[in-house]
Structures are given as structure tokens and as C-alpha cells.
Coordinates of all heavy atoms in Angstrom, one line a residue:
S1 N 0.8 -1.2 0.0 CA 0.0 0.0 0.0 C 0.9 1.3 0.0 O 2.0 1.3 0.6 CB -0.9 0.0 1.2 OG -0.1 0.0 2.4
G2 N 0.4 2.3 -0.7 CA 1.2 3.5 -0.8 C 0.3 4.6 -1.3 O -0.9 4.5 -1.4
P3 N 0.9 5.7 -1.7 CA 0.2 6.9 -2.2 C -0.5 6.7 -3.5 O -1.5 7.4 -3.9 CB 1.2 8.0 -2.2 CG 2.5 7.3 -2.4 CD 2.4 6.0 -1.7
Q4 N 0.0 5.7 -4.3 CA -0.5 5.5 -5.6 C -1.5 4.3 -5.6 O -1.2 3.3 -5.0 CB 0.6 5.2 -6.7 CG 1.6 6.4 -6.8 CD 1.0 7.7 -7.3 OE1 0.0 7.6 -8.1 NE2 1.6 8.8 -7.0
P5 N -2.6 4.4 -6.4 CA -3.5 3.2 -6.5 C -2.9 2.1 -7.3 O -1.9 2.3 -8.0 CB -4.7 3.8 -7.3 CG -4.1 5.0 -8.1 CD -3.0 5.5 -7.3
P6 N -3.4 0.9 -7.2 CA -2.9 -0.2 -8.0 C -3.0 0.1 -9.5 O -3.8 0.9 -10.0 CB -3.9 -1.4 -7.6 CG -4.4 -1.0 -6.3 CD -4.5 0.5 -6.3
W7 N -2.1 -0.6 -10.2 CA -2.0 -0.3 -11.7 C -1.8 -1.7 -12.4 O -0.9 -2.4 -12.0 CB -0.8 0.6 -12.0 CG -0.7 0.8 -13.5 CD1 0.2 0.2 -14.3 CD2 -1.5 1.6 -14.4 NE1 0.0 0.6 -15.7 CE2 -1.1 1.4 -15.7 CE3 -2.7 2.3 -14.2 CZ2 -1.6 2.0 -16.8 CZ3 -3.3 3.0 -15.2 CH2 -2.7 2.8 -16.5
T8 N -2.5 -1.9 -13.4 CA -2.4 -3.1 -14.2 C -1.8 -2.8 -15.5 O -2.3 -2.1 -16.3 CB -3.8 -3.8 -14.5 OG1 -4.4 -4.0 -13.2 CG2 -3.7 -5.0 -15.2
T9 N -0.6 -3.3 -15.7 CA 0.2 -3.2 -17.0 C -0.4 -4.2 -18.0 O -0.8 -5.3 -17.7 CB 1.7 -3.6 -16.8 OG1 2.2 -2.7 -15.8 CG2 2.4 -3.5 -18.1
K10 N -0.6 -3.7 -19.2 CA -1.4 -4.5 -20.2 C -0.5 -5.5 -20.9 O -1.0 -6.5 -21.3 CB -2.0 -3.5 -21.2 CG -3.0 -2.5 -20.6 CD -3.4 -1.5 -21.6 CE -4.4 -0.5 -21.0 NZ -3.8 0.3 -19.9
R11 N 0.8 -5.3 -20.9 CA 1.6 -6.3 -21.7 C 3.1 -6.2 -21.2 O 3.5 -5.1 -20.9 CB 1.5 -6.0 -23.2 CG 2.2 -7.0 -24.1 CD 1.8 -6.7 -25.5 NE 0.4 -6.9 -25.8 CZ -0.3 -6.0 -26.6 NH1 0.2 -4.9 -27.1 NH2 -1.6 -6.2 -26.8
V12 N 3.7 -7.3 -21.1 CA 5.1 -7.4 -20.6 C 6.0 -8.1 -21.7 O 5.6 -9.1 -22.2 CB 5.3 -8.1 -19.3 CG1 6.7 -8.0 -18.8 CG2 4.3 -7.5 -18.2
F13 N 7.2 -7.5 -22.0 CA 8.1 -8.1 -22.9 C 9.4 -8.4 -22.3 O 9.9 -7.7 -21.4 CB 8.3 -7.2 -24.2 CG 7.1 -7.0 -25.1 CD1 6.2 -6.0 -24.8 CD2 7.0 -7.9 -26.1 CE1 5.1 -5.8 -25.7 CE2 5.9 -7.7 -27.0 CZ 4.9 -6.7 -26.7
F14 N 10.1 -9.4 -22.8 CA 11.6 -9.6 -22.6 C 12.3 -9.1 -23.8 O 11.9 -9.2 -24.9 CB 11.9 -11.1 -22.4 CG 11.4 -11.7 -21.1 CD1 10.7 -12.9 -21.1 CD2 11.8 -11.1 -19.9 CE1 10.3 -13.5 -19.9 CE2 11.4 -11.7 -18.7 CZ 10.6 -12.8 -18.7
F15 N 13.4 -8.4 -23.5 CA 14.3 -8.0 -24.5 C 15.1 -9.2 -25.1 O 15.6 -10.0 -24.3 CB 15.3 -6.9 -24.0 CG 16.2 -6.3 -25.0 CD1 15.8 -5.2 -25.8 CD2 17.4 -6.8 -25.3 CE1 16.6 -4.7 -26.7 CE2 18.3 -6.3 -26.2 CZ 17.9 -5.2 -26.9
R16 N 15.3 -9.2 -26.4 CA 16.1 -10.3 -26.9 C 17.2 -9.7 -27.8 O 17.0 -8.7 -28.5 CB 15.3 -11.2 -27.8 CG 14.1 -11.9 -27.1 CD 14.6 -12.9 -26.1 NE 13.5 -13.7 -25.6 CZ 13.6 -14.5 -24.5 NH1 14.8 -14.7 -24.0 NH2 12.6 -15.2 -24.1
N17 N 18.4 -10.2 -27.8 CA 19.5 -9.8 -28.6 C 19.2 -10.1 -30.1 O 19.7 -9.4 -31.0 CB 20.8 -10.3 -28.2 CG 21.3 -9.7 -26.9 OD1 21.0 -8.6 -26.7 ND2 21.9 -10.5 -26.1
K18 N 18.5 -11.2 -30.4 CA 18.1 -11.6 -31.7 C 17.0 -12.6 -31.7 O 16.8 -13.2 -30.7 CB 19.3 -12.1 -32.5 CG 19.9 -13.4 -31.8 CD 21.1 -13.9 -32.6 CE 21.7 -15.1 -32.0 NZ 22.8 -15.7 -32.7
G19 N 16.2 -12.6 -32.7 CA 15.2 -13.6 -32.9 C 14.0 -13.5 -32.1 O 13.3 -14.5 -31.9
G20 N 13.6 -12.4 -31.6 CA 12.3 -12.2 -30.8 C 11.1 -12.3 -31.7 O 11.2 -12.2 -32.9
A21 N 10.0 -12.5 -31.1 CA 8.7 -12.6 -31.9 C 8.3 -11.2 -32.5 O 7.7 -11.2 -33.5 CB 7.6 -13.0 -30.9
L22 N 8.9 -10.1 -31.9 CA 8.5 -8.8 -32.4 C 9.8 -8.1 -32.8 O 10.7 -7.9 -32.0 CB 7.8 -8.0 -31.3 CG 7.0 -6.7 -31.8 CD1 5.9 -7.1 -32.8 CD2 6.4 -6.0 -30.6
A23 N 9.9 -7.7 -34.0 CA 11.1 -6.9 -34.5 C 10.7 -5.4 -34.6 O 9.7 -5.0 -35.3 CB 11.6 -7.4 -35.8
I24 N 11.5 -4.5 -34.0 CA 11.2 -3.1 -34.0 C 12.4 -2.4 -34.7 O 13.6 -2.6 -34.4 CB 11.1 -2.5 -32.6 CG1 9.9 -3.2 -31.9 CG2 11.0 -1.0 -32.6 CD1 9.7 -2.8 -30.5
E25 N 12.1 -1.7 -35.7 CA 13.2 -1.0 -36.5 C 13.5 0.3 -35.9 O 12.7 1.3 -35.9 CB 12.7 -0.8 -37.9 CG 13.7 0.0 -38.9 CD 15.0 -0.8 -38.9 OE1 15.1 -1.8 -39.6 OE2 16.0 -0.3 -38.3
T26 N 14.7 0.4 -35.3 CA 15.2 1.7 -34.7 C 16.0 2.5 -35.6 O 16.5 3.6 -35.2 CB 15.9 1.4 -33.4 OG1 17.2 0.8 -33.7 CG2 15.1 0.5 -32.4
G27 N 16.3 2.0 -36.8 CA 17.1 2.7 -37.8 C 16.4 3.7 -38.6 O 17.0 4.3 -39.5
A28 N 15.1 3.9 -38.4 CA 14.3 4.8 -39.2 C 14.8 6.3 -39.0 O 15.1 6.7 -37.9 CB 12.9 4.7 -38.9
Y29 N 14.9 7.0 -40.1 CA 15.4 8.4 -40.0 C 14.3 9.4 -39.6 O 13.2 9.2 -40.2 CB 16.0 8.8 -41.3 CG 16.4 10.3 -41.4 CD1 17.6 10.7 -40.7 CD2 15.7 11.2 -42.1 CE1 18.0 12.1 -40.7 CE2 16.1 12.5 -42.2 CZ 17.2 13.0 -41.5 OH 17.6 14.3 -41.6
D30 N 14.5 10.2 -38.7 CA 13.5 11.2 -38.2 C 13.9 12.6 -38.7 O 14.8 13.2 -38.2 CB 13.3 11.2 -36.7 CG 12.1 12.0 -36.2 OD1 11.8 13.1 -36.9 OD2 11.5 11.6 -35.2
P31 N 13.2 13.1 -39.7 CA 13.6 14.5 -40.3 C 13.4 15.6 -39.3 O 14.1 16.6 -39.4 CB 12.7 14.6 -41.5 CG 11.5 13.7 -41.3 CD 12.1 12.6 -40.5
L32 N 12.5 15.5 -38.3 CA 12.4 16.6 -37.3 C 13.6 16.6 -36.4 O 13.9 17.7 -35.9 CB 11.1 16.3 -36.4 CG 9.8 16.4 -37.1 CD1 8.7 16.1 -36.2 CD2 9.6 17.8 -37.7
L33 N 14.3 15.5 -36.2 CA 15.4 15.5 -35.3 C 16.8 15.5 -36.1 O 17.8 15.9 -35.6 CB 15.4 14.2 -34.5 CG 14.2 14.0 -33.5 CD1 14.2 12.7 -32.9 CD2 14.1 15.1 -32.5
G34 N 16.7 15.1 -37.4 CA 17.9 15.0 -38.2 C 18.8 13.8 -37.9 O 20.0 13.7 -38.2
Y35 N 18.2 12.8 -37.2 CA 18.9 11.6 -36.8 C 18.0 10.4 -37.0 O 16.8 10.6 -36.9 CB 19.4 11.6 -35.4 CG 20.4 12.6 -35.0 CD1 20.1 13.9 -34.6 CD2 21.8 12.3 -35.1 CE1 21.0 14.8 -34.2 CE2 22.7 13.2 -34.7 CZ 22.4 14.5 -34.3 OH 23.3 15.4 -33.9
S36 N 18.5 9.2 -37.0 CA 17.7 8.0 -36.8 C 17.8 7.7 -35.3 O 18.6 8.3 -34.6 CB 18.3 6.8 -37.5 OG 19.5 6.3 -36.9
Y37 N 16.9 6.9 -34.8 CA 16.8 6.6 -33.4 C 18.0 5.7 -33.0 O 18.6 5.8 -31.9 CB 15.5 5.9 -33.0 CG 14.4 6.7 -33.5 CD1 13.6 6.2 -34.6 CD2 14.1 8.0 -33.2 CE1 12.5 6.9 -35.2 CE2 13.1 8.7 -33.7 CZ 12.3 8.2 -34.7 OH 11.3 9.0 -35.3
A38 N 18.5 4.9 -33.9 CA 19.7 4.2 -33.6 C 21.0 5.1 -33.5 O 21.9 4.8 -32.7 CB 20.0 3.1 -34.7

């Protein structure tokens, strides 16, 4: 118990170095920033 009410997280992932079920592309270029996220 504490100052914050209970919270239910909707989904939990493990990070994988390779071969995970979900692949996220971080190399996309963002013209607003002038960089890719990688």
C-alpha cells in the first residue's frame, strides 16, 4: 500500500538480442530530429 493506486500493466516483454517474436526498426530516420533513433 502507498500513495498511488494499483496499476495493471497491459503487456510485458523480454528484450532479446536476436530472434524475438517482435522486431522493431530503430534505424528509421526522423527528419524533425535530423537523426535516426539508432
Side-chain angles (χ1 to χ4, degrees):
S1 61
Q4 301 293 337
W7 176 257
T8 300
T9 299
K10 299 174 179 63
R11 191 172 292 137
V12 184
F13 290 92
F14 286 130
F15 182 90
R16 300 293 188 190
N17 289 324
K18 59 181 180 180
L22 195 64
I24 297 175
E25 179 57 73
T26 68
Y29 175 73
D30 190 324
L32 291 180
L33 300 174
Y35 294 91
S36 73
Y37 311 113

